[in-house]
Amino acid sequence: MWSCQHVLFICTVLNCVSGAASLIHVFGYEGKEVKISCPYIKGYESYEKYLCKNGCGYSDVLITTLQRNTSKYLIYDDTKKTIITVTICDLRSRDAGKYWFGVSRSGKDLYTEVKLEVKKDRCCDTVSKIQSIEEGLVSISCPYDSEYVNNLKYICRGNRPSTCLQQAVITSDTKQNGQFRLTDDRKSSIFTVTISSLTLRDSGSYLCGVQRKVGLDVFSAVELEVKGEKS
Ligand SMILES: *[C@@H]1O[C@H](CO)[C@@H](O)[C@H](O)[C@H]1NC(C)=O
């Protein structure tokens, strides 16, 4: 619909979970944006809505539907669907915490609590190292939790979770892409990516990813070293 102007290329809509309508839990990556949507009850279409932090006193209001969008906060009130959406741009770890969506009205305002978690956009603390030789073949094993057996699996180069799916070299939907092949052993909850016709340029970091419907995708990291035949 619209996006943070300075992050045009990375406007991924991150996952948002609306719980029992009273708590919305959202996740975002540092440096990226997060979109927080909150449904409200019909009848409040013309009321002012806002996002606030901390105690939600006058100075805690971050943006309201009566203000212009800023470079940090964008607000959009979809009065047809009765959903208010705020995008927070260029996430920092200090943006993590508790927020409230409010609807201004006489008497007590209506509030919905939002919990925002901000994760570092790199992965992971543990990295498995594997080696192979030029022109050879290597299999990268990516174990996953059995609850994700039906989820999309993928692998990308580098170590940035936020763009991994977009830049995946292979996914469980494609299964074969040039030198990459993905097989999924659903019984043992391990998917394997085989890279054939290895060249020295295939050396480097890879992330195994599993897509989640709720929350951020889960990743494990692999470092591949392809050795030249002569070395
Ligand atoms: C913020 O920007 C979007 C589009 O860029 C617009 O639809 C929306 O009405 C704006 N909100 C305010 C309060 O200016």
Side-chain angles (χ1 to χ4, degrees), residues 153-155 164-165 168 170-171 191 207-211 217 219:
K153 326 278 177 341
Y154 56 94
I155 198 164
C164 189
L165 181 54
I170 182 101
T171 75
F191 74 93
L207 285 185
C208 303
V210 176
Q211 190 177 42
D217 292 359
F219 296 97

Side-chain angles (χ1 to χ4, degrees), residues 111-212:
Y111 286 108
T112 300
E113 188 181 340
V114 176
K115 193 179 165 207
L116 171 64
E117 284 182 46
V118 178
K119 295 249 169 92
K120 290 221 177 316
D121 193 13
R122 63 181 130 80
C123 189
C124 303
D125 290 341
T126 53
V127 178
S128 1
K129 291 192 175 356
I130 47 173
Q131 286 187 340
S132 190
I133 50 160
E134 223 179 341
E135 286 170 35
L137 157 155
V138 72
S139 288
I140 302 178
S141 286
C142 307
Y144 58 88
D145 199 295
S146 56
E147 71 176 289
Y148 302 129
V149 69
N150 293 317
N151 296 34
L152 182 80
K153 326 278 177 341
Y154 56 94
I155 198 164
C156 67
R157 296 205 61 157
N159 67 355
R160 287 192 170 271
S162 68
T163 48
C164 189
L165 181 54
Q166 269 167 277
Q167 296 174 355
V169 290
I170 182 101
T171 75
S172 51
D173 281 347
T174 33
K175 295 191 177 71
Q176 174 95 48
N177 177 19
Q179 57 177 155
F180 298 94
R181 204 162 75 87
L182 189 151
T183 52
D184 189 3
D185 182 348
R186 298 161 61 92
K187 275 212 190 81
S188 26
S189 316
I190 297 176
F191 74 93
T192 303
V193 174
T194 307
I195 315 176
S196 51
S197 315
L198 284 170
T199 69
L200 298 179
R201 277 176 303 155
D202 294 318
S203 293
S205 314
Y206 291 83
L207 285 185
C208 303
V210 176
Q211 190 177 42
R212 289 206 300 175

Side-chain angles (χ1 to χ4, degrees), residues 1-3 5 63-70 73-77 85:
M1 216 178 307
W2 39 263
S3 59
Q5 283 156 338
I63 186 136
T64 92
T65 44
L66 300 182
Q67 266 173 349
R68 292 174 67 96
N69 293 315
T70 66
Y73 303 98
L74 297 164
I75 193 160
Y76 176 70
D77 187 2
T85 302

Side-chain angles (χ1 to χ4, degrees), residues 75-119:
I75 193 160
Y76 176 70
D77 187 2
D78 187 335
T79 50
K80 284 215 183 77
K81 294 187 183 145
T82 62
I83 296 175
I84 181 88
T85 302
V86 169
T87 302
I88 306 179
C89 296
D90 191 23
L91 283 175
R92 299 289 142 193
S93 53
R94 62 169 178 272
D95 293 322
K98 220 187 243 189
Y99 294 78
W100 303 87
F101 269 117
V103 178
S104 294
R105 55 169 192 175
S106 52
K108 202 178 178 304
D109 287 1
L110 294 169
Y111 286 108
T112 300
E113 188 181 340
V114 176
K115 193 179 165 207
L116 171 64
E117 284 182 46
V118 178
K119 295 249 169 92

